[in-house]
Each structure stands twice: as C-alpha cells, then as structure tokens.
Amino acid sequence: MAEPLSRTSVLADRHKALGSGLEDWNGMGTAWTYATDPDDEHDAVRERVGMFDMSPLKKIFVRGPDAAAVLDHLTTRDMSRIAPGQAAYLSVLTEAGTMADDAIVSNNGGDEWMIVHGSGDTFALLAASAEGHNVSVQFTDELHDISVQGPRSTEVLERAGAVDIASLAYFHHCLFQLFGRPVRISRTGYSGERGYEIFVDAAHAGTVWNELAAAGVMPCSFSALDKMRIEAGLLFYGYDMNTTNTPWEVGLGFTVSRKKGDFRGRDRLFAIEGKERLRNVGLRVNMSEAAPGGAELMHNNRSVGTVNSPCWSRRLGQSLALAHVAPDVEMGTVLTLRSGSLEAAATVVQMPVHDPAKSRTHG
C-alpha cells in the first residue's frame, strides 16, 4: 500500500505532440503549456468546450466493510450523507486541525469509495486511518482522469454515447459508455464551468482523448486552467492553503460536518474556531499583467497579507489574484501591493469574479 515513486500518463506522447515539455506536478509529467496560446484555450472552455488531462491527481480506491468509517476518520464530511452515485468536496486535516489536503470522495456503491486528491498528505493519513480496519486501500494510476469543461460539454458527451448525461446532477457520477468504452463520469471540475470528469482505464484513455479531439474538444493546458480556477475562486493546495491554515481561515468551513463523530483533528479544529489569523480573498490588481506571487499587501503602512495565486485574465482584461489578508481587512479596501520596486493598487473583492452566482457549474 504505497504510492509509486514515478508516475506517467498514457497521454504523455499526445501532450508532447501538442508542444508540452511535461513539467512535473504531483510526480507526473503535466501539460503546463502547449504550443497553443493559453488565452485561446481559456476562451475555448468559457465559450465552447475544452479538455484537460487531470491524471496527475491521485486516485485511491477504498474498499471493504469499514471503508466509510475509515473515510469518516480521515475527512471532515459525514460519509453517511454521501449516497451511492454522489460525491463531496472535503478537507483532510492534521492532528492540529489544519489543512493537510483537500479532496473529492465518491461513493461508488457496494462498499467501494474513491478519493481523488492533489499534492497534500491524504495518502499517508488515509493509511494511518485504515490501520486495524477491515478495508483495502489501493492507489491507482491505471485510472486516468480526462476533464471536459465548457457550455458545450454536455452536448459533446451525449453525442459520444453518454446517454441522458444532461440529467446527471452536480457532484453526482455514474457509469457510461463513451465512444464504446466503459467510463465513470462525474459532474465535477475545476474551471468554473459546467463540466465533467471522465475516469477511464489506461487501456481506453488514448481512444477517448483522440475521439474527443476529433469531435472538436480543444486540449487545454494547466496554465489555462490556472486562470479559470482563479477567476472562479477555487483553491490550489500548497498555494492558497497549507498545514499552517485552518478550514475556517481559507473559506472551507462549509466542508466540516459539525454533527458527525470523531475525525482527525476534530477537537483542535473546533477549539480554534473564531481565532482566525487570516482569510482568503480575491484581488483586482491595477496592473496589465499578472502580479508577482508572494507579493506583500500593505494598508495604512501595515503589512496585512500576501498574494498567493495571481493571473492575467485576457477575457476580463484584469489582473486578478487570490490572497490571504488579515481578518479585519474589509471588502472594497484598496491595498498597496509591493514586490521589490514594484508597487500597485489592489482592491479586495468577493470571489468568484467569474459567474458569482455559480449558475454555470450548478445549473
């Protein structure tokens, strides 16, 4: 029960052919850029449909009579409220009640669950929670994750054979046939658009990718995805949160099920509620490019925060960022962003900037 030392997507050669240098993320070569302009990729997802190889996310099956109990101890959500065919976004905590990771857990039915996470310590903490329980834990890279996002995503997948996928509710998943191949499709994503994640065995992933491309779905890079998720106010573990932050500080209090039983970090988590040292906010920065990551934020000659995730959005014609600021910094406050000799005004704004009502993802 161990994570592999190196990881490879079966789509790697396709990414290289599109101009990717396969930079590392999460132990796997990842398409951070293609030869295409990430702003054009951004437009494709917002206006039509695009796809990302999200296989660098870590996929773990948890199976057995004690699977739900193990995941209850690992995470902040109440597993009894996640029915077969449903999924939930949640937090994984340290013993100190701080963020070890964020993840999505899916109930596949029949005592089988799947947890998908990024670069945090979920796997090691899951192994610890599983000790002494009647459960198996299986890390898998055989299962690939192709994320199809955009307003035409439903239409494209229906034409590919995913019958009645339009009725699949947000954060629900089901088995389908896609181009004649068996897949599990989840109505989830990281783009701020209506979209779906296709979980497909490595043996079929290349065919599904090729057929989607032939159907007009644009391959998109993580550079484009980063712009989208910042516009949508979605957090990236390691940048917008880490083990020094609590869920309360980074806006993830909604992932905490207050009435469930014991879970890792529970007592400490509730003991420190209301003692937040910072909070997550959005910024509109008065610059014509992305602000520097790590830039200091000042107000009335006081250091009040740090820029975590910046981007330049060509679509919105704005420099945006996600940042941590002191709890007393109010919405609408104009801060001074400083990095070396650079200085710019940065206004604190509500997130998401794109689709504030979230009608595109949830509708």
Side-chain angles (χ1 to χ4, degrees):
M1 189 173 65
E3 296 181 72
L5 296 177
S6 62
R7 310 172 61 218
T8 303
S9 168
V10 297
L11 303 175
D13 287 344
R14 290 163 176 81
H15 300 322
K16 289 180 182 178
L18 291 165
S20 172
L22 291 179
E23 298 81 4
D24 176 76
W25 180 65
N26 229 10
M28 182 179 284
T30 302
W32 281 101
T33 59
Y34 288 134
T36 45
D37 188 332
D39 287 323
D40 293 338
E41 298 163 15
H42 187 177
D43 287 342
V45 174
R46 291 282 185 251
E47 297 171 8
R48 300 177 302 280
V49 61
M51 62 180 173
F52 307 85
D53 181 9
M54 300 302 296
S55 302
L57 291 170
K58 296 178 179 179
K59 291 81 59 182
I60 307 168
F61 286 110
V62 185
R63 300 183 177 100
D66 293 344
V70 167
L71 290 168
D72 257 327
H73 182 261
L74 174 73
T75 76
T76 56
R77 292 277 195 181
D78 183 348
M79 295 300 112
S80 70
R81 300 179 65 85
I82 306 173
Q86 293 183 342
Y89 175 67
L90 43 73
S91 300
V92 177
L93 304 183
T94 68
E95 295 288 354
T98 61
M99 295 295 301
D101 211 347
D102 63 338
I104 292 178
V105 165
S106 300
N107 184 346
N108 292 350
D111 287 337
E112 178 182 280
W113 299 70
M114 181 174 71
I115 185 163
V116 179
H117 73 100
S119 55
D121 288 337
T122 288
F123 187 87
L125 294 171
L126 172 59
S129 293
E131 287 184 7
H133 288 83
N134 186 3
V135 67
S136 68
V137 175
Q138 178 194 2
F139 181 100
T140 178
D141 271 337
E142 273 300 297
L143 194 66
H144 281 48
D145 179 357
I146 300 172
S147 184
V148 177
Q149 304 286 308
R152 287 192 54 219
S153 57
T154 304
E155 169 193 339
V156 166
L157 296 182
E158 282 185 331
R159 288 181 177 177
V163 178
D164 198 30
I165 197 170
S167 65
L168 190 67
Y170 190 52
F171 267 80
H172 284 61
H173 54 94
C174 191
L175 298 174
F176 290 91
Q177 290 282 319
L178 205 63
F179 305 110
R181 270 61 176 187
V183 298
R184 181 178 296 275
I185 300 180
S186 174
R187 194 173 152 199
T188 46
Y190 195 48
S191 68
E193 294 293 332
R194 186 184 184 101
Y196 305 85
E197 290 182 271
I198 303 165
F199 293 97
V200 53
D201 286 345
H204 304 304
T207 297
V208 170
W209 180 274
N210 291 346
E211 293 289 352
L212 287 169
V217 181
M218 185 176 190
C220 298
S221 66
F222 273 44
S223 292
L225 186 61
D226 205 39
K227 295 174 185 284
M228 294 176 218
R229 66 98 183 172
I230 291 169
E231 288 180 343
L234 301 173
L235 309 184
F236 188 0
Y237 189 82
Y239 289 83
D240 306 297
M241 54 181 160
N242 56 45
T243 54
T244 69
N245 307 131
T246 70
W248 318 122
E249 291 176 327
V250 296
L252 295 183
F254 72 92
T255 69
V256 178
S257 297
R258 293 179 177 273
K259 295 181 180 179
K260 67 176 282 187
D262 187 36
F263 57 92
R264 181 180 286 106
R266 183 186 189 279
D267 291 345
R268 185 61 184 151
L269 173 67
F270 289 116
I272 57 181
E273 184 178 11
K275 301 175 183 177
E276 293 75 49
R277 300 160 301 141
L278 55 85
R279 63 191 179 100
N280 249 348
V281 298
L283 299 175
R284 295 184 191 270
V285 186
N286 189 19
M287 293 177 61
S288 57
E289 59 187 354
E296 186 178 25
L297 299 167
M298 305 289 297
H299 187 242
N300 293 335
N301 294 318
R302 176 173 68 110
S303 179
V304 295
T306 307
V307 172
N308 297 322
S309 294
C311 77
W312 169 255
S313 172
R314 184 182 71 179
R315 287 187 62 81
L316 300 180
Q318 294 175 352
S319 183
L320 302 172
L322 301 180
H324 287 166
V325 298
D328 62 345
V329 176
E330 298 179 352
M331 288 294 153
T333 301
V334 179
L335 307 176
T336 300
L337 181 152
R338 289 181 182 168
S339 179
S341 61
L342 172 68
E343 189 169 296
T347 304
V348 180
V349 297
Q350 293 281 1
M351 297 299 282
V353 172
H354 168 74
D355 188 26
K358 301 183 181 180
S359 59
R360 296 166 80 94
T361 53
H362 293 55

